[in-house]
Amino acid sequence: MIKAIVYNSNTGFTKQYAYSFATSVGLPIYTLKEAKKKLNKNDKIIYFSWIAADKIYKINEAKRYDIAYAAAVGMNLYSDELIELIKKRSKFENIYYLQGGIRWRMLKPSQRIMMKLILWMLKRKNKKNKLTDDEKVVLDRMNYGYETVDLDSLKFLIEWYNNQKELVA
Ligand SMILES: Cc1cc2nc3c(=O)[nH]c(=O)nc-3n(C[C@H](O)[C@H](O)[C@H](O)COP(=O)(O)O)c2cc1C
């Protein structure tokens, strides 16, 4: 039985998804830090976190619990290749991708540098006319910042959770 939602959010997008999900299914919700006091090792959880460098942030820490699903929030557009890459980098299979945004003003200085580097690489590729259509969208979003939380996209995960409950009952 799933005990709780555990989440990690840097600029707030993941937090919004995680809280909306927790409210919909009626599960307690903890940050990764709070979870250490509230949960036991190997308790079953759903882990919500953002993506950094194609990996689910702090998934290795979260693996002290039994992660039934990891909901990964990123700025890139969904594609099967992207999910395969995130699975490989995170060494985890059950991944559900959610579209996040970009809040430049909330980034820590080191994160801002990393994001500026990604932006610079996209711009360089753009100058050579080598960007894919998806990358063009990301470049645009990175240039101007991007606010989105599509709560409807949680539907599948909510259905999956409700099916799990029925299986246990
Ligand atoms: C340093 C850094 C690296 C990132 N790398 C990726 C990435 O590889 N893929 C991606 O889709 N998003 C990447 N992002 C974007 C975040 O995942 C995105 O902004 C997400 O919505 C942040 O969620 P949060 O508001 O919960 O922190 C990166 C962001 C930062 C700051």
Side-chain angles (χ1 to χ4, degrees):
M1 206 180 75
I2 294 168
K3 283 264 177 71
I5 309 298
V6 177
Y7 78 94
N8 192 297
S9 183
N10 185 42
T11 65
F13 294 101
T14 310
K15 186 174 182 179
Q16 236 178 304
Y17 278 116
Y19 265 84
S20 175
F21 183 81
T23 311
S24 298
V25 301
L27 278 172
I29 176 163
Y30 308 118
T31 61
L32 200 50
K33 210 172 162 188
E34 288 163 350
K36 283 201 175 139
K37 290 182 197 148
K38 301 280 185 185
L39 298 175
N40 295 316
K41 204 169 177 277
N42 297 324
D43 274 352
K44 206 168 192 169
I45 63 156
I46 300 173
Y47 182 54
F48 279 71
S49 188
W50 55 289
I51 298 166
D54 296 318
K55 186 177 172 189
I56 300 176
Y57 192 70
K58 293 206 169 168
I59 190 155
N60 288 347
E61 251 181 68
K63 280 179 185 170
R64 74 193 301 271
Y65 309 107
D66 176 9
I67 307 172
Y69 240 109
V73 181
M75 67 180 172
N76 286 328
L77 273 71
Y78 175 93
S79 74
D80 290 341
E81 295 77 34
L82 177 72
I83 301 305
E84 283 314 309
L85 182 62
I86 298 168
K87 280 182 181 175
K88 204 171 152 196
R89 300 253 308 127
S90 307
K91 295 193 173 64
F92 190 78
E93 275 298 310
N94 278 357
I95 286 174
Y96 189 63
Y97 188 73
L98 295 163
Q99 184 66 66
I102 301 152
R103 289 185 177 129
W104 281 99
R105 67 188 184 283
M106 292 182 72
L107 297 177
K108 296 179 186 88
S110 61
Q111 295 168 342
R112 197 179 286 259
I113 290 169
M114 268 186 75
M115 287 287 270
K116 280 194 173 161
L117 190 67
I118 299 172
L119 181 58
W120 176 78
M121 287 193 296
L122 286 175
K123 280 181 177 167
R124 205 173 62 153
K125 226 173 147 185
N126 194 31
K127 271 192 188 151
K128 295 179 186 165
N129 278 328
K130 284 188 174 164
L131 282 189
T132 63
D133 287 347
D134 282 6
E135 284 171 332
K136 280 181 193 160
V137 174
V138 175
L139 173 60
D140 213 43
R141 288 176 179 181
M142 288 193 83
N143 264 327
Y144 302 107
Y146 185 62
E147 288 284 329
T148 185
V149 175
D150 175 16
L151 295 178
D152 271 355
S153 59
L154 285 171
K155 264 186 198 157
F156 167 82
L157 205 57
I158 293 169
E159 266 172 37
W160 169 84
Y161 175 76
N162 288 333
N163 285 339
Q164 298 293 303
K165 263 192 351 192
E166 278 166 29
L167 287 175
V168 173

